[in-house]
Amino acid sequence: MNNQNLIETIKIKHIEDIINYYEEYGYLNVVIKPESIRNIISYLKTDEDLKFEMLVDLVSIDYSQFPEKKPGRFGLAYHLKSITHNHRVAIRVYLPEENPEIDSIHDFYKNANWLEREAWDQMGIKFKGHPNLKRILNHKEFVGHPLRKDYPIDRRQWLSEPDDLMDEMEKRLKEKGIIR
Amino acid sequence: METKKIITLEEDSSGIQFPTDIDTKEIVFVNIGPSHPAMHGTLRVLTALDGETIVAAVAEMGYLHRGFEKDCEIHPYQQCIPYTDRLNYLSAIMNNIGFAKAVEKMLGITIPERAKVIRVITAELNRIIDHLVCVGTNLVDIGALTNFWYSFNVREKVYDILEKLCGARLTSNYIRIGGLSRDTYPGFEEEVLDVCDEILEAVGEIERLTEKNRIFLDRTQNVAVISLEDAISYGWTGPTLRACGIDYDLRKVEPYYDYETYDFDVIVGTKGDNFDRIYVRLYEIRESVKIIKQALKRLAPGPIMTDDKRVALPPKIHTYGNIEGLMNHFKIIMHGIQPPLSEVYDYTESSNGELGFHIISDGGQYPYRVKCRPPSFMNYAAFPQLIEGGMIADAIATLGTINIIAGELDR
Amino acid sequence: MGVKNFNPNEQLPYITTTREAVLAWGRKNSLWPMPFGTACCAIEFMGVVSSVFDISRFGAELVRFSPRQSDLLIVAGTITYKMGPILKQIYDQMSDPKWVISMGVCASSGGFYNNYCTMQGIDHIIPVDVYIAGCPPRPEAILDAVLKIQEKIENPHKTPPAQFQVKEPKFDY
């Protein structure tokens, strides 16, 4: 489907959640409200004409030093792709500076689990309902969120001892029903 | 005309039954730590064992996080290209191409024909050496040591060619925004044709050693099977997804650099187990050799860099000859490349899958934000699910088939 | 050292030497490296072990991935702060005598990653004997470093020539 049909199909059910949409370099970007992320993602995934089965990437952006004014300090871009119909879309969300929070979509796409952990680690965006929101790229004694624009690049932080991982392991064993 | 090749598997599996009626509540924790002999970089898996079977596993990454994205925000666009070399360090030119393609899309420039063909040739050569390392080290983990020497000897010959072309064996830094950094040397075509024959010979030897080998088949067939829905849900692309049974290749579905005019097949597996993942890569080497031979016939003399004034340095006769050339040269060196204020996401088919770059530009000479979409990240996210229920030896063999490169995983 | 009493009719000849010389000869010709490979330099190390640039000519053939069984630690690749305690633990687990090669610029001084997560050189946490420059260094450079380790084992108290001496690093954290 080309971009015009895509946006018309999305508008059928969710006209009140869409704030804005535009096309950039041939790629359709849809800006939505943060509260309706779960409804829109489930509609995009299950509708027969759209069928976006794969979450390609989750990009977290800090717009505080951007020359154009955006409706919030933080932005998220969910890149989705459909294998059966061969089209792509990017869903964008803007979050405010104090307490940036959004619902997690880890039950729709299995790789969203780690992608959201990375967004929390690097940018500090909280995902409500995530089973295991802890650091993934930086070490566990790291303070701050390094990809924000106010974190200086050469503030180094030493680590004293490696992570135990037993808390994650206990959760996993409980999920499998092996202990308690 | 495009034909699909399906790998036929033997239906007979090992037939060993493990005892299931033993009731044991002893769980032992074994940490397969970041420093381990499986030669795949710094990955850590904490496993809970019941006897020899893994009942639960937790994977950790981040031991090679080198801050690629934050470093790109303080370097001009041309200086970010050596950083992209070290992402997937086994196929460095493909990362360069991914980044340069995204910036060229932002600027709206097209590269000349000769540059396109040389980019295709070097990209396919890099895909071949990446697959050779993956298959070679994977077979060492399973115990078949001879194949390591076959694949590494051929790689040295490819490295000789790449060294004469780019200047370095591994981290090439060959691609510039708008074309290439330097032209090919005289004798390039003959050497590439010779090395193609040696590559096919090496692949034939590896195949003859493993395809009817009872031990290899028992260790890899029906081990670490993943279903197609799970693979798509995890975001797998590339050879690991094609081993699950779907023929999705970005070079056929969304072609770039005239890939639709080359004649090659897409290799598809059937079951999604270790055997499929290894053999899909092995057969893809042959398809890449086909593409290289076709591309070499198209190599015609011409410019290798676009003459768009925003990215290309003017010829020296203009730099020293008239004032416009001097000003152009000065502006590009001092102020760098300045794409317009926009965001772009562009992707290529690298040896592991879809490698994408999301670049945000604020109109200045430094990128505002660069995000790399690493295919190894999606492959590794499925790893705990793949190894639970198997044994530790199978876990090490599985780790090799999903081809995790730590530089790309942690960026 | 010398050969004495070469009279085959009476008794077998014997050689006099020092204990240190024999131990050094044994140690330097049978180094067992442990490649602590993290990044791109590990691929070049694999190329050194393969048959084109053969490291087993110098005796260092058996790569042992266990610190208890090796005596030469080759740190190949970038070391981040997350990896630091693990590198220190591996170094502590090796038994004496042990030597360390820091391969590549990332292990020697952080490389071109001057940021919040990369350790600017492994000599902040473990002592290093030979540094190799290059990104990645050519396999011949690694063989040269193994030869320098062999010279160092033979004459442990000899100071290297002035051009190879490394000044005491200044840490400004």
Side-chain angles (χ1 to χ4, degrees):
Chain A
M1 282 196 188
N2 58 2
N3 292 339
Q4 197 57 33
N5 295 347
L6 269 177
I7 193 62
E8 297 302 321
T9 321
I10 301 177
K11 268 204 238 180
I12 294 174
K13 289 263 182 77
H14 289 276
I15 183 76
E16 67 278 354
D17 294 321
I18 299 180
I19 299 177
N20 188 10
Y21 63 92
Y22 55 94
E23 210 181 279
E24 196 167 22
Y25 299 113
Y27 206 84
L28 176 68
N29 291 282
V30 182
V31 182
I32 63 167
K33 297 188 195 147
E35 303 83 36
S36 50
I37 181 79
R38 285 188 66 93
N39 295 340
I40 290 201
I41 296 277
S42 83
Y43 174 61
L44 288 175
K45 189 174 175 202
T46 49
D47 182 67
E48 275 310 314
D49 289 325
L50 298 175
K51 220 131 195 334
F52 286 103
E53 308 116 330
M54 189 187 286
L55 175 68
V56 170
D57 202 4
L58 208 170
V59 184
S60 56
I61 311 155
D62 179 357
Y63 282 112
S64 57
Q65 291 175 1
F66 204 60
E68 216 177 66
K69 189 84 179 64
K70 298 277 181 182
R73 179 181 175 188
F74 295 109
L76 278 180
Y78 293 77
H79 289 280
L80 298 168
K81 173 168 94 166
S82 165
I83 292 186
T84 42
H85 299 295
N86 194 19
H87 44 235
R88 293 176 186 248
V89 78
I91 308 283
R92 286 179 186 263
V93 184
Y94 292 106
L95 299 171
E97 175 165 355
E98 60 288 329
N99 204 13
E101 275 188 347
I102 191 172
D103 285 323
S104 161
I105 58 169
H106 72 277
D107 44 351
F108 291 121
Y109 300 106
K110 290 195 181 171
N111 57 350
N113 193 330
W114 276 20
L115 283 169
E116 290 173 351
R117 270 177 77 179
E118 186 190 335
W120 156 247
D121 185 8
Q122 299 278 71
M123 201 60 87
I125 297 175
K126 273 217 173 77
F127 290 86
K128 294 186 276 210
H130 193 275
N132 184 21
L133 199 66
K134 56 185 240 194
R135 290 196 180 267
I136 190 170
L137 287 175
N138 299 306
H139 56 78
K140 71 172 186 205
E141 293 175 12
F142 202 91
V143 171
H145 298 283
L147 228 53
R148 291 192 178 181
K149 290 293 179 182
D150 47 4
Y151 189 93
I153 192 168
D154 44 8
R155 178 187 297 167
R156 308 177 205 281
Q157 301 193 24
W158 286 81
L159 173 70
S160 55
E161 60 172 31
D163 194 6
D164 206 356
L165 285 188
M166 282 313 290
D167 51 349
E168 240 180 285
M169 174 56 92
E170 278 181 20
K171 269 194 220 163
R172 186 94 180 146
L173 288 171
K174 280 198 190 124
E175 272 175 36
K176 300 239 145 185
I178 297 175
I179 57 174
R180 218 155 294 132
Chain B
M1 240 280 282
E2 168 195 325
T3 54
K4 276 192 284 190
K5 251 192 233 157
I6 310 286
I7 303 177
T8 54
L9 304 176
E10 290 187 60
E11 294 301 296
D12 181 27
S13 100
S14 67
I16 300 178
Q17 301 289 340
F18 291 104
T20 50
D21 54 346
I22 297 181
D23 184 25
T24 163
K25 291 185 177 45
E26 286 263 344
I27 295 192
V28 175
F29 295 105
V30 168
N31 180 33
I32 305 177
S35 158
H36 61 93
M39 282 198 272
H40 294 299
T42 51
L43 310 164
R44 179 177 173 201
V45 182
L46 178 67
T47 55
L49 299 177
D50 173 19
E52 180 88 13
T53 21
I54 299 178
V55 295
V58 167
E60 194 193 357
M61 52 175 262
Y63 289 97
L64 197 62
H65 176 59
R66 297 186 274 197
F68 158 71
E69 299 173 356
K70 188 101 182 165
D71 261 331
C72 277
E73 293 174 13
I74 57 173
H75 287 86
Y77 284 90
Q78 294 280 23
Q79 291 185 6
C80 291
I81 294 190
Y83 282 100
T84 60
D85 263 338
R86 278 118 180 120
L87 283 178
N88 182 347
Y89 36 79
L90 292 172
S91 56
I93 294 188
M94 291 175 124
N95 309 331
N96 291 350
I97 290 178
F99 186 80
K101 187 161 173 283
V103 180
E104 284 156 14
K105 190 170 177 184
M106 265 208 279
L107 291 164
I109 55 185
T110 47
I111 55 176
E113 269 306 308
R114 188 176 163 91
K116 267 191 214 169
V117 175
I118 296 181
R119 278 193 187 184
V120 166
I121 295 176
T122 44
E124 295 302 319
L125 271 176
N126 272 275
R127 191 190 307 269
I128 290 174
I129 57 179
D130 195 347
H131 285 330
L132 279 173
V133 170
C134 177
V135 169
T137 51
N138 194 17
L139 290 171
V140 164
D141 292 339
I142 293 179
L145 286 160
T146 322
N147 306 290
F148 183 76
W149 310 119
Y150 289 140
S151 53
F152 268 70
N153 278 350
V154 166
R155 285 185 77 237
E156 291 295 326
K157 300 195 171 64
V158 179
Y159 270 168
D160 281 342
I161 293 180
L162 287 175
E163 192 180 13
K164 284 194 229 181
L165 186 68
C166 320
R169 287 153 54 101
L170 196 65
T171 52
S172 50
N173 191 14
Y174 182 53
I175 307 289
R176 298 285 177 264
I177 294 171
L180 310 168
S181 67
R182 60 172 73 87
D183 209 341
T184 59
Y185 57 93
F188 175 71
E189 289 96 359
E190 291 88 25
E191 288 195 11
V192 173
L193 277 174
D194 288 338
V195 95
C196 283
D197 296 329
E198 297 188 19
I199 290 170
L200 289 176
E201 208 180 297
V203 170
E205 302 218 358
I206 296 178
E207 202 184 336
R208 271 198 296 276
L209 275 175
T210 53
E211 81 181 321
K212 295 197 170 60
N213 192 331
R214 189 76 250 166
I215 300 179
F216 177 72
L217 293 175
D218 279 345
R219 278 208 69 176
T220 51
Q221 284 191 345
N222 298 321
V223 171
V225 179
I226 190 165
S227 65
L228 185 60
E229 295 83 33
D230 273 345
I232 294 180
S233 180
Y234 273 112
W236 280 19
T237 47
T240 45
L241 180 66
R242 291 197 276 278
C244 294
I246 190 171
D247 63 335
Y248 189 77
D249 188 337
L250 278 175
R251 295 174 290 174
K252 293 271 191 199
V253 167
E254 301 178 51
Y256 54 95
Y257 293 164
D258 301 331
Y259 264 111
E260 66 269 13
T261 54
Y262 292 103
D263 173 36
F264 64 101
D265 303 324
V266 176
I267 313 290
V268 176
T270 41
K271 243 189 244 175
D273 54 3
N274 280 352
F275 180 82
D276 277 345
R277 288 191 279 265
I278 296 176
Y279 262 70
V280 162
R281 284 179 217 271
L282 208 55
Y283 288 165
E284 268 191 14
I285 298 179
R286 291 206 175 109
E287 304 300 318
S288 290
V289 169
K290 264 199 234 171
I291 298 178
I292 292 179
K293 286 188 178 160
Q294 290 167 43
L296 280 172
K297 292 198 184 82
R298 299 186 191 195
L299 207 55
I304 52 159
M305 188 84 170
T306 178
D307 44 2
D308 192 318
K309 289 200 185 340
R310 292 170 292 171
V311 299
L313 293 174
K316 284 291 185 262
I317 193 166
H318 291 307
T319 310
Y320 293 120
N322 48 25
I323 190 66
E324 287 88 14
L326 183 68
M327 278 165 31
N328 192 5
H329 188 111
F330 181 82
K331 190 117 174 35
I332 290 180
I333 298 287
M334 296 301 288
H335 294 165
I337 298 175
Q338 296 180 331
L341 184 103
S342 52
E343 305 193 20
V344 74
Y345 174 73
D346 206 8
Y347 40 88
T348 55
E349 171 86 9
S350 84
S351 52
N352 258 348
E354 173 180 335
L355 175 72
F357 282 92
H358 182 115
I359 304 183
I360 304 181
S361 152
D362 60 351
Q365 57 170 319
Y366 305 132
Y368 186 77
R369 168 91 164 100
V370 173
K371 167 94 170 55
C372 161
R373 188 256 181 203
S376 308
F377 190 89
M378 314 296 166
N379 288 348
Y380 192 48
F383 187 61
Q385 180 182 331
L386 281 176
I387 61 173
E388 276 166 2
M391 299 196 278
I392 288 197
D394 293 333
I396 302 295
T398 311
L399 187 63
T401 58
I402 52 183
N403 199 21
I404 300 171
I405 315 276
E408 194 179 48
L409 175 76
D410 294 335
R411 282 153 284 138
Chain C
M1 277 194 6
V3 180
K4 296 228 183 292
N5 200 11
F6 190 60
N7 192 352
N9 293 328
E10 292 191 8
Q11 42 182 309
L12 289 169
Y14 53 93
I15 305 177
T16 61
T17 176
T18 61
R19 181 190 58 184
E20 282 84 13
V22 170
L23 284 176
W25 170 82
R27 278 177 189 152
K28 77 174 189 186
N29 285 324
S30 67
L31 285 168
W32 285 20
M34 176 180 167
F36 192 86
T38 44
C40 352
C41 284
I43 309 294
E44 283 293 19
F45 186 75
M46 281 201 250
V48 174
V49 169
S50 76
S51 48
V52 179
F53 308 97
D54 204 6
I55 202 174
S56 71
R57 301 179 264 175
F58 305 105
E61 173 175 21
L62 289 166
V63 284
R64 286 297 188 214
F65 288 91
S66 163
R68 304 276 191 208
Q69 299 170 11
S70 56
D71 51 6
L72 175 67
L73 178 69
I74 302 185
V75 182
T78 321
I79 299 293
T80 58
Y81 289 117
K82 197 167 181 180
M83 196 70 177
I86 293 157
L87 176 62
K88 183 87 176 70
Q89 196 177 358
I90 298 274
Y91 179 76
D92 289 338
Q93 282 175 346
M94 284 168 72
S95 50
D96 277 333
K98 54 192 172 187
W99 297 274
V100 175
I101 289 183
S102 151
M103 178 179 163
V105 287
C106 285
S108 309
S109 68
F112 65 168
Y113 295 106
N114 187 8
N115 49 26
Y116 57 91
C117 48
T118 309
M119 195 181 287
Q120 305 289 295
I122 59 170
D123 47 13
H124 288 239
I125 49 177
I126 57 178
V128 175
D129 290 305
V130 173
Y131 298 83
I132 313 179
C135 191
R138 272 203 66 105
E140 289 97 343
I142 304 164
L143 296 173
D144 187 38
V146 171
L147 287 174
K148 288 218 165 15
I149 292 267
Q150 288 184 344
E151 281 174 24
K152 192 167 181 176
I153 296 174
E154 212 177 328
N155 304 322
H157 303 294
K158 178 176 166 208
T159 54
Q163 77 214 76
F164 291 127
Q165 283 194 22
V166 177
K167 285 201 272 285
E168 187 69 33
K170 264 188 152 33
F171 299 135
D172 54 351
Y173 45 48

